[in-house]
Amino acid sequence: MAVTFSLPVELQPEAVAQAYAECERVTAEYAKTFYLGTLLMAPAKRRAVWAVYAWCRRTDELVDGPQCDSTSLGTLQDWETQLEKTFAGHPQDIYDLALYAATRNFPLEIQPFRDMIAGQRMDLCQCRYETFAELETYCYRVAGTVGLMSLAIMGARQDSVAVRRAAVALGIANQLTNILRDVGEDLQRGRIYLPIADLTAYSYTVKELQNGVINSAWRRLMRFQIQRARAYFTEAEPGVNQLSADARWPVWTALMNYRQILDQIEQNDYDVFNRRAYVSLPGKLVKLPWALWRSFWGV
């Protein structure tokens, strides 16, 4: 969608509304579980979250999208420069316009956005992770940062160490879940995100992984990986009720629905090579009352 605009942005509500609508479209198309949660937010907050998601999606596509073969370290440096221009009040396109508008309504920090670009540099230069410590750094950069990006929108205290730690933990939990769900797809792109040290510890070889072997060693390995992801979800939980009242229900909903993907992997007998684990719409909706309860009582 092409929209012509010039600063000052705040004097052009129609252009801003179109920009937010485009970000909503992207969110609804590519992040269905997440989008469901955003619909429970106050309008200003959901629009800002859509803008952040759209930026994150575009950043991810630099190394995973259709044009990824042409992406270089220079491309990512240019992208970071474009980010800085957006925060400085000089958006370059409709998506930047939405993000800039969000910064006018909420005190977003630029550093988590920079950190996410650093994560894309890792994807550009690295296709395997030897240890979980390496993978955890990657998960923080490409997903833990999203929690930090969103704190100001969610009404949380950005100077609270506990809240920031919980926000990062939720992002890491989501990314670990993505990694487990997408093992087969990532192999097709030549990437292995499961730590090689973990494969070794469970006597499962890289060759077996590449051949999609599902045996007792694989099941033990996957049970361990799922347990680790669930531990991060648990670490994130105390921070959810530190958010503003109108943000708790959607975040609980998103957390609980995303965690269900791990349940589905188990139900699929850990076959992430041939079957994609997903949660049906009824499965998502059934969590809404329980998420609402937790948003009040946190238990």
Side-chain angles (χ1 to χ4, degrees), residues 24-35 53 57 61:
E24 178 184 8
R25 182 196 66 78
V26 170
T27 308
E29 180 176 353
Y30 294 104
K32 293 178 175 59
T33 298
F34 178 69
Y35 178 69
Y53 175 82
R57 173 77 188 180
E61 286 192 338

Side-chain angles (χ1 to χ4, degrees), residues 135-170:
L135 182 64
E136 187 179 39
T137 297
Y138 170 76
C139 289
Y140 158 71
R141 288 178 174 174
V142 300
T145 50
V146 178
L148 298 183
M149 293 174 191
S150 306
L151 282 182
I153 301 171
M154 301 299 182
R157 287 183 51 192
Q158 292 179 273
D159 61 346
S160 169
V161 174
V163 169
R164 294 178 73 87
R165 184 181 299 117
V168 170
L170 181 54

Side-chain angles (χ1 to χ4, degrees), residues 11-267:
L11 300 181
Q12 300 178 61
E14 182 179 350
V16 173
Q18 288 179 312
Y20 278 139
E22 176 62 11
C23 291
E24 178 184 8
R25 182 196 66 78
V26 170
T27 308
E29 180 176 353
Y30 294 104
K32 293 178 175 59
T33 298
F34 178 69
Y35 178 69
L36 178 66
T38 67
L39 295 179
L40 303 174
M41 296 179 182
K45 291 184 177 181
R46 77 172 71 127
R47 288 192 294 265
V49 169
W50 293 336
V52 169
Y53 175 82
W55 183 88
C56 293
R57 173 77 188 180
R58 295 171 76 203
T59 302
D60 181 68
E61 286 192 338
L62 290 174
V63 296
D64 281 335
Q67 308 300 320
C68 63
D69 290 343
S70 62
T71 297
S72 65
L73 292 175
T75 305
L76 294 176
Q77 183 56 55
D78 291 343
W79 186 243
E80 187 164 349
T81 299
Q82 184 171 336
L83 169 71
E84 292 167 351
K85 288 180 178 178
T86 297
F87 268 75
H90 302 283
Q92 304 298 295
D93 59 29
I94 187 171
Y95 302 101
D96 288 352
L97 173 59
L99 182 59
Y100 172 67
T103 69
R104 301 287 291 186
N105 292 322
F106 301 96
L108 303 184
E109 300 176 354
I110 193 172
Q111 189 57 48
F113 292 82
R114 291 188 178 121
D115 288 346
M116 178 171 280
I117 295 173
Q120 304 310 311
R121 292 190 181 99
M122 293 177 73
D123 254 337
L124 201 61
C125 303
Q126 189 171 355
C127 61
R128 295 188 185 187
Y129 293 84
E130 292 298 323
T131 67
F132 180 69
E134 290 181 9
L135 182 64
E136 187 179 39
T137 297
Y138 170 76
C139 289
Y140 158 71
R141 288 178 174 174
V142 300
T145 50
V146 178
L148 298 183
M149 293 174 191
S150 306
L151 282 182
I153 301 171
M154 301 299 182
R157 287 183 51 192
Q158 292 179 273
D159 61 346
S160 169
V161 174
V163 169
R164 294 178 73 87
R165 184 181 299 117
V168 170
L170 181 54
I172 292 176
N174 288 340
Q175 185 62 26
L176 290 175
T177 300
N178 287 342
I179 287 170
L180 298 180
R181 180 195 62 194
D182 298 339
V183 167
E185 295 178 18
D186 289 331
L187 282 170
Q188 292 176 10
R189 295 182 297 172
R191 294 180 182 173
I192 297 175
Y193 289 104
L194 296 177
I196 302 303
D198 288 354
L199 269 67
T200 301
Y202 283 88
S203 302
Y204 190 80
T205 67
V206 170
K207 185 174 182 180
E208 287 175 316
L209 181 68
Q210 292 170 332
N211 289 331
V213 174
I214 300 174
N215 55 19
S216 59
W218 171 251
R219 294 184 178 92
R220 289 195 302 271
L221 171 63
M222 285 295 286
R223 281 194 288 268
F224 173 75
Q225 302 297 328
I226 289 173
Q227 181 182 29
R228 174 188 278 157
R230 285 178 173 147
Y232 276 95
F233 278 118
T234 300
E235 184 179 349
E237 289 183 353
V240 179
N241 278 24
Q242 299 300 312
L243 306 177
S244 62
D246 63 342
R248 295 171 192 166
W249 189 18
V251 175
W252 272 119
T253 298
L255 184 157
M256 296 170 73
N257 280 332
Y258 223 81
R259 185 161 49 191
Q260 286 189 93
I261 294 173
L262 299 174
D263 301 335
Q264 192 60 52
I265 292 173
E266 291 175 329
Q267 292 175 29

